[in-house]
Amino acid sequence: MKGVVDPGSLPTEAVQILTPDGTIAPDADRAIDLKEEDLREIYRLMVLTRRCDEESTNLQRQGELGVYCPCLGQEAAQIGSAYALEPTDWIFPSYRELGPALLRGIDPADILHMFRGTWHGGTWDFRKHRFAPYCVPVGTQPLHAAGFGIAAKLDRSDVVVIVYFGDGATSEGDFHEGCNFAGVWRAPVVFFCQNNQYAISLPTARQTAAPTIASKALGYGFPGVRVDGNDVLAVHAVTKEAVRRAREGGGPTLIEAMTFRMGPHSTADDPTRYRGAEEVESWKRLDPIHRFAAYLERESLLTGDFVARCAGEADEAAARLREAIVGAGPPPAEQLFEHVYAVRPPVLERQLERLRRLQARGGEG
Amino acid sequence: MPTITLAQALNEALRHSMRKDPRVIVLGEDVGRLGGVFRITDKLQQEFGEDRVLDTPLAESGIVGASVGLAIYGFKPVAEMQFDGFTYPAFEEIVSHCAKFRSRTRGILPLPIVIRIPYGGGIGAVEHHSESPEAYFAHTAGLKVVSPSNPADAFSLLVESIEDPDPVIFLEPKRRYWIRAEVDLPVANGLPLGRARVAREGTDATIITYGPCVRTAEEAAEEAAADGVSCEVIDLRSLVPLDLETVKASVRKTGRAVVVHEAQVTGGFGAELAARIMEDDFLSLQAPVLRVGGYDIPYPPAKLEDLYLPDLDRVLDAVDAVLNY
Ligand SMILES: Cc1ncc(C[n+]2csc(CCOP(=O)(O)OP(=O)(O)O)c2C)c(N)n1
């Protein structure tokens, strides 16, 4: 009917290249635009991510971290998307993006310092890695990405920015504003939603009445695409398209990667209170690393030697991570007063003096 | 008498209010099926159903803004903010609407909304989970600001906040959720909302505080007593309304006052207390009112938070200072 927009008419199926058993989907309409060494590198990064993630959870269970937010099960969504970027592009994470961080060469210990409580936001060099601090207030960082994208556009730079967030984040007002700003300026932004089916206890169906999260893009005047988030090749392909469009001046894209948080929301969470074992089991069968490994094997790209090397390297990284984190102390208390303002005001000088006196006394006593 | 935690007392207060008044509904993130991340709404959805315990989308402005509409319709919403630091997206709805509707509509559309906020530090959390935003709200005319320090008050103050005709910011001292006390429910003959409590009687100095720091102040008073110093501890229970009479009566007796809170001192509620005491009772003061609170820095990472939180040492230091002025 004239003037009517019908949510029922929107597509809900996801782009797929690999079926869960690792064969090429019969209706795959995206080519695999990756060289053999890229495919191996993607595999390596996925394995590394899983191993470091597992070690982080262990470290929390052993009391070395206050809390941790695992990304188990989301490796394809994270690595497939970040791999589509140029090293000069910027990444704005939420608090679960271990994969993209590792891809950018960030030392995972620099992430865990935040979860250990030695410093906020992460301790990597944000400019060097072009990777913004971890962002805890849900849904706020899409606006930062929009602003960054607008800046790139105003500066006639060809930098693209990707922002990661969850299904829950799409309910926040800031998410809407971020998409709208980016849309109005046709800014080079890729909005990447990992729809891992839950925002803590709330399933996505209760988060939004929209047929898909991807369909929300229509309201902002740019394309949206739903992709099988456990299919690393499909994720890479759609992100690559979005990045290219952004770089060529075509504006933003909203990608919805359908995946599953296999672990708890955070180590403080008990998921058995809100989801059944069957659901978890059904997603286990869709494991992103197994799927990709099956494909690589079929293509004779995965020798036993390479698999062992990746596993060994991941174990070593996990061991280094453990070594860096166990017992790590915070910086001296002065640091707390150091960067509140560019120039420390007198009131902070006085307070720091008082703190030093108390500490000195504590040391004696 | 049964022993319950502060968290359980809040849960019981919600249950009690919901049983009594069908207009009371609870809404927030993860409050239904999960029972809230601190389990304050545990099993409420089971008892009252999904129409009275609403798991909302992840949007704090949405939760409070929708509460405004629900209240205009005739419900009594009890909204949960998951953590103090996530109240800020709702700031506009709280300050621009919750606080001002009664006045704007000359009393035609009051908003009996309770906004529950687990607040304060000391639980080893990541950033944004340890804030003390009470001064923002106390500064905003039209809002009541309440903070219990113990299980009995948690029950009675929450029940009264829900019955209150005005919007109430209800600050729950999250690091005290697990403290226990013997409480007979429902709490009867408690002090009404708006009255402070003398948590401990004393004659030499008055420690004025609220929420999580009441415990700290009581422990400090205990320690001071061992040194022969008698401290009176006032638990405000609500910042707005402020029971200045109880505060002044104590200060007139002791002549010395120390205010303690976790929030940073600059622009904090302690400044308000110091000013009020000075304005009304300047001549009964033997020493300036001192404040013990957070430093003027963002709340520190977990491993450094003990340096930030007022502890016995810092409270006793201030007590010494007002005594030796
Ligand atoms: C503004 C804000 N509100 C609430 C929270 C508490 N919280 C942390 S994560 C989370 C759920 C997020 O779900 P989603 O966006 O789907 O991402 P996921 O955690 O599943 O990756 C909530 C409610 C927060 N961090 N920030």
Side-chain angles (χ1 to χ4, degrees), chain B residues 17-66:
Chain B
S17 302
M18 292 181 84
R19 282 183 185 159
K20 212 163 91 180
D21 184 348
R23 293 170 305 165
V24 175
I25 60 170
V26 163
L27 70 164
E29 293 156 12
D30 306 289
V31 298
R33 185 112 189 245
L34 187 67
V37 295
F38 289 108
R39 309 289 187 259
I40 305 301
T41 55
D42 196 25
K43 304 218 165 62
L44 295 181
Q45 196 178 62
Q46 263 152 281
E47 177 171 346
F48 300 101
E50 294 191 7
D51 286 353
R52 290 190 67 199
V53 182
L54 281 59
D55 272 322
T56 67
L58 205 178
E60 293 75 12
S61 181
I63 293 164
V64 177

Side-chain angles (χ1 to χ4, degrees), chain B residues 181-201:
Chain B
E182 286 190 347
V183 181
D184 235 346
L185 295 178
V187 175
N189 307 324
L191 283 175
L193 195 164
R195 284 284 306 284
R197 178 175 71 97
V198 180
R200 179 190 177 104
E201 291 196 18

Side-chain angles (χ1 to χ4, degrees), chain A residues 116-118 120 136-138 168 171-172 199-202 207 273-274 333 336 340 347-348 351 355 358 361, chain B residues 30 33-34 39 42 55-60 82 127-129 295-297 299-303 307 313-314 317:
Chain A
R116 185 170 168 80
T118 43
H120 294 314
V136 174
V138 167
S171 294
E172 288 282 4
I200 307 188
S201 70
L202 200 69
Q207 194 68 250
R273 286 179 76 108
Y274 55 80
L336 296 172
V340 184
V347 61
L348 280 186
Q351 292 183 359
L355 174 65
L358 281 166
R361 207 172 62 191
Chain B
D30 306 289
R33 185 112 189 245
L34 187 67
R39 309 289 187 259
D42 196 25
D55 272 322
T56 67
L58 205 178
E60 293 75 12
Q82 201 159 77
E127 204 180 356
H128 315 289
H129 292 71
Y295 301 106
D296 292 334
I297 59 176
Y299 192 87
K303 292 267 180 232
L307 297 174
D313 239 20
R314 287 171 62 198
D317 249 13

Side-chain angles (χ1 to χ4, degrees), chain B residues 157-172:
Chain B
L157 286 173
L158 184 52
V159 168
E160 280 185 88
S161 295
I162 294 169
E163 285 166 0
D164 201 279
D166 283 313
V168 176
I169 304 295
F170 193 85
L171 296 163
E172 302 173 358

